[in-house]
Amino acid sequence: MKERFRSQLAAFFISVTLIDLAIFILGCLLEPDLKFGYEAFAYPLIYGVIGSLPGLIMYSKKELTMKQTIIREIIQMLLIVVLIIAFMFGRFRGIEYDVFPQIIAVAASVMIIYVLVNFFGWLIDLKTANIMTEDLKKYQAKASGKNE
Amino acid sequence: MDITVKKIGETEKEYIEIGCHKKDERIDEIVRFIRSREGILKGTKEDRQYSIALPDILYIEAVDEKTFIYLENDCYESGRRLYEFDEALASRNFARISKSVVVNLMKITSIKPSLNGRFSCVLTNGEQVIISRKYVPDIREKLKGGAV
């Protein structure tokens, strides 16, 4: 559980950074003249929290197979897309076609951010795996000298 | 038959070499005896019981209510529970890597990142087994602590 919390926390901070970047890029492209107040600083954090919530469904006491893990990752990504869009565009009650390009842009951004968060998480894990492999080699050399 | 015992340096790997005209039952018996000095486990296969030398084991896995001992090209069933192996082999270069697997650390060639914060061990026969996130800190500790 502790490891899971650490991993979720790392994912949250990577998400906030990438959301900040996505807001900057999308804002410049779609609404370059829009001005915000100080509350704008809170949005990446709010979106980060929303994006982290579906991570709870990934928690399973069972050892998931690779197939189950991939399916859960996809469900989690789609859930984040729905939650973020609901939060951002929830105020539009009827169908307003003019927000569709924004919804598509946001959905695409969320998916890109999701993939990037996983990629950066994988890079951190790669570093850990390399350190573990080095330690393993030392362990094996030491054990071979002693036991075999 | 001449028996030679040669003292070698501390840094060199200890070995036993047998010079024989033919590898027969007599030689197999000597090899079995030497291997038994490193520890053996009992396993069954097709209703026959076998002695399995610890250094030959890749990993031990619990599937449903059964426990299986995997070697390079063989698999044996054991009547013992996984936690018993975990406790008995913790000081013998074995480590628990998930709820269902105890692995021989001497049979891992490398560690790679997997999905969802997990890692996978590549074994000497090319097979891969998953390290659960929960067990990563313990394994890192064991590898850093060196061989026991």
Side-chain angles (χ1 to χ4, degrees):
Chain A
M1 196 67 188
K2 195 177 154 191
E3 278 299 301
R4 172 144 194 88
F5 178 72
R6 276 178 57 180
S7 163
Q8 280 290 111
L9 203 64
F12 169 77
F13 285 115
I14 296 169
S15 302
V16 169
T17 308
L18 292 172
I19 290 164
D20 207 12
L21 194 67
I23 290 174
F24 171 73
I25 294 168
L26 284 178
C28 287
L29 291 173
L30 301 170
E31 300 275 2
D33 301 322
L34 205 63
K35 301 288 177 210
F36 293 102
Y38 286 116
E39 78 280 359
F41 288 103
Y43 281 112
L45 295 168
I46 294 166
Y47 294 139
V49 169
I50 294 170
S52 300
L53 289 177
L56 296 173
I57 66 158
M58 290 298 288
Y59 182 71
S60 170
K61 284 189 174 179
K62 281 185 183 174
E63 299 284 355
L64 298 176
T65 61
M66 192 59 84
K67 195 178 164 189
Q68 287 170 326
T69 307
I70 291 168
I71 291 170
R72 281 187 181 232
E73 288 282 350
I74 292 167
I75 293 171
Q76 187 178 346
M77 184 179 76
L78 295 176
L79 203 56
I80 293 170
V81 171
V82 171
L83 284 174
I84 298 274
I85 287 173
F87 181 79
M88 288 180 82
F89 302 97
R91 63 184 184 278
F92 297 108
R93 298 286 176 201
I95 299 170
E96 295 193 22
Y97 292 100
D98 58 324
V99 296
F100 273 10
Q102 288 179 39
I103 288 175
I104 290 164
V106 168
S109 305
V110 172
M111 283 190 237
I112 291 168
I113 289 170
Y114 188 82
V115 170
L116 284 175
V117 167
N118 277 284
F119 175 70
F120 287 125
W122 185 85
L123 283 182
I124 294 167
D125 286 348
L126 180 66
K127 197 182 164 202
T128 307
N130 288 338
I131 293 169
M132 283 171 79
T133 303
E134 274 175 36
D135 289 341
L136 176 77
K137 297 292 172 200
K138 285 178 197 160
Y139 178 96
Q140 288 173 337
K142 201 171 165 186
S144 299
K146 269 186 179 177
N147 302 333
E148 282 179 22
Chain B
M1 188 192 287
D2 290 332
I3 296 176
T4 311
V5 178
K6 193 170 77 175
K7 208 171 171 187
I8 57 170
E10 284 286 318
T11 53
E12 284 179 76
K13 194 176 168 182
E14 288 182 316
Y15 67 93
I16 293 169
E17 196 175 61
I18 300 169
C20 60
H21 295 128
K22 199 173 84 178
K23 193 175 171 292
D24 54 16
E25 184 54 37
R26 190 179 49 124
I27 300 297
D28 288 341
E29 197 181 316
I30 296 169
V31 171
R32 271 201 299 276
F33 172 74
I34 295 164
R35 286 205 166 279
S36 72
R37 299 290 296 166
E38 297 174 311
I40 53 163
L41 292 181
K42 297 281 182 198
T44 54
K45 188 180 168 186
E46 290 159 5
D47 296 328
R48 285 188 65 184
Q49 198 169 57
Y50 294 87
S51 294
I52 307 157
L54 284 186
D56 292 341
I57 297 169
L58 292 183
Y59 64 97
I60 303 165
E61 184 179 31
V63 181
D64 298 326
E65 292 298 303
K66 292 177 177 174
T67 309
F68 297 94
I69 302 168
Y70 292 88
L71 277 65
E72 202 90 20
N73 299 308
D74 252 325
C75 175
Y76 299 88
E77 197 180 329
S78 171
R80 294 172 74 181
R81 306 298 294 261
L82 192 71
Y83 76 89
E84 293 178 63
F85 285 118
D86 186 21
E87 286 168 8
L89 302 176
S91 59
R92 305 295 297 268
N93 300 326
F94 281 76
R96 184 79 172 255
I97 57 167
S98 68
K99 261 185 191 172
S100 57
V101 174
V102 169
V103 75
N104 183 352
L105 295 170
M106 304 303 286
K107 294 289 186 184
I108 303 173
T109 54
S110 63
I111 297 168
K112 298 191 307 184
S114 186
L115 277 178
N116 196 17
R118 299 186 301 181
F119 294 86
S120 74
C121 301
V122 184
L123 303 175
T124 48
N125 65 346
E127 208 176 324
Q128 293 191 23
V129 281
I130 292 289
I131 305 177
S132 296
R133 199 202 318 257
K134 183 187 164 191
Y135 292 90
V136 171
D138 290 344
I139 294 160
R140 293 190 72 177
E141 189 70 31
K142 182 154 186 164
L143 295 178
K144 276 197 185 301
V148 281

